[in-house]
């Protein structure tokens, strides 16, 4: 059975049609924006290597030291044998920033107490995998860290260490 059309129902129907059309256009615009952002090539700066962070000269980092680089969100770990590892400061449990404890000689997460050694290996749960690492290179005695890509590790391997 069809309901009788009242004088008020026509403008209401028109308003609802405009509302749905407007909402549909918003959804289409947002979808197009997301797709365009996904397909857009990475910035020229990233391609040109401007994500290369200059940490300093190799002599500035004593063997057995861990140096924080807050601007780059990483630590440069100089191992006892002189090797270098750049460790991302984000805890692999739930992402808290992990400070280095000089007195304990380990990273201690303030959130749930995961601990990591100077190679980023897990010493104490709840984290289950090592700290992410960033590529390190030494050019003419200058230590450079590539901030453009974090490597997710499931385990530590000696091959991850950069030998100067
Ligand atoms: S976020 Fe670090 S232990 Fe949970």
């Amino acid at each position: 059975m069809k309901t009788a059309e009242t004088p008020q129902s026509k403008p209401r129907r028109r308003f609802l049609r405009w509302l749905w059309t407007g909402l549909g256009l918003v959804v289409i615009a947002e979808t197009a924006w997301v797709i365009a952002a996904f397909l857009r090539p990475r910035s020229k700066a990233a391609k040109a290597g401007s994500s290369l962070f200059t940490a300093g000269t190799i002599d500035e980092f004593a063997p057995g030291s861990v140096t924080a680089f807050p601007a780059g969100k990483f630590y440069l770990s100089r191992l006892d044998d002189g090797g270098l590892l750049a460790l991302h400061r984000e805890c692999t449990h739930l992402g808290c920033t992990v400070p280095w404890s000089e007195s304990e000689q380990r990273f201690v997460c303030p959130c749930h107490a995961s601990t990591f050694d100077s190679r980023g290996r897990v010493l104490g749960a709840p984290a289950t995998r090592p700290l992410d690492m960033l590529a390190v290179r030494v050019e003419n005695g200058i230590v450079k860290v590539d901030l453009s890509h974090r490597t997710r590790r499931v385990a530590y391997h000696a091959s991850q260490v950069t030998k100067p």
Side-chain angles (χ1 to χ4, degrees):
M1 187 173 126
K2 199 172 179 181
T3 57
E5 201 169 286
T6 64
Q8 297 91 357
S9 67
K10 215 171 189 179
R12 192 178 333 144
R13 208 176 312 135
R14 195 177 308 136
F15 169 74
L16 288 173
R17 197 176 319 131
W18 276 105
L19 182 68
W20 284 114
T21 302
L23 288 174
L25 290 174
V26 167
V27 169
I28 289 170
E30 283 186 358
T31 304
W33 184 84
V34 168
I35 291 171
F38 179 74
L39 297 176
R40 190 178 319 129
R42 294 176 63 197
S43 72
K44 283 182 184 171
K47 280 185 187 168
S50 63
S51 57
L52 220 49
F53 186 98
T54 300
T57 62
I58 186 75
D59 299 335
E60 292 175 48
F61 309 104
S65 68
V66 173
T67 308
F69 287 91
K73 300 181 181 174
F74 72 91
Y75 294 94
L76 188 69
S77 181
R78 182 106 197 252
L79 307 177
D80 291 332
D81 67 0
L84 293 161
L85 270 172
L87 304 169
H88 198 272
R89 70 180 185 182
E90 212 171 77
C91 182
T92 55
H93 178 227
L94 291 178
C96 291
T97 296
V98 185
W100 170 254
S101 168
E102 194 63 40
S103 60
E104 296 181 52
Q105 288 293 295
R106 63 182 57 192
F107 296 96
V108 181
C109 183
C111 293
H112 312 102
S114 287
T115 53
F116 306 85
D117 70 5
S118 61
R119 287 173 164 81
R121 293 179 291 202
V122 176
L123 296 174
T128 57
R129 60 179 192 82
L131 296 173
D132 291 345
M133 57 174 261
L134 304 160
V136 180
R137 67 171 94 145
V138 181
E139 294 173 347
N140 300 321
I142 307 294
V143 180
K144 296 178 180 177
V145 177
D146 186 354
L147 303 181
S148 68
H149 179 70
R150 273 162 66 175
T151 300
R152 182 186 166 96
R153 301 186 290 173
V154 290
Y156 165 78
H157 299 288
S159 61
Q160 296 164 351
V161 177
T162 299
K163 300 286 182 188

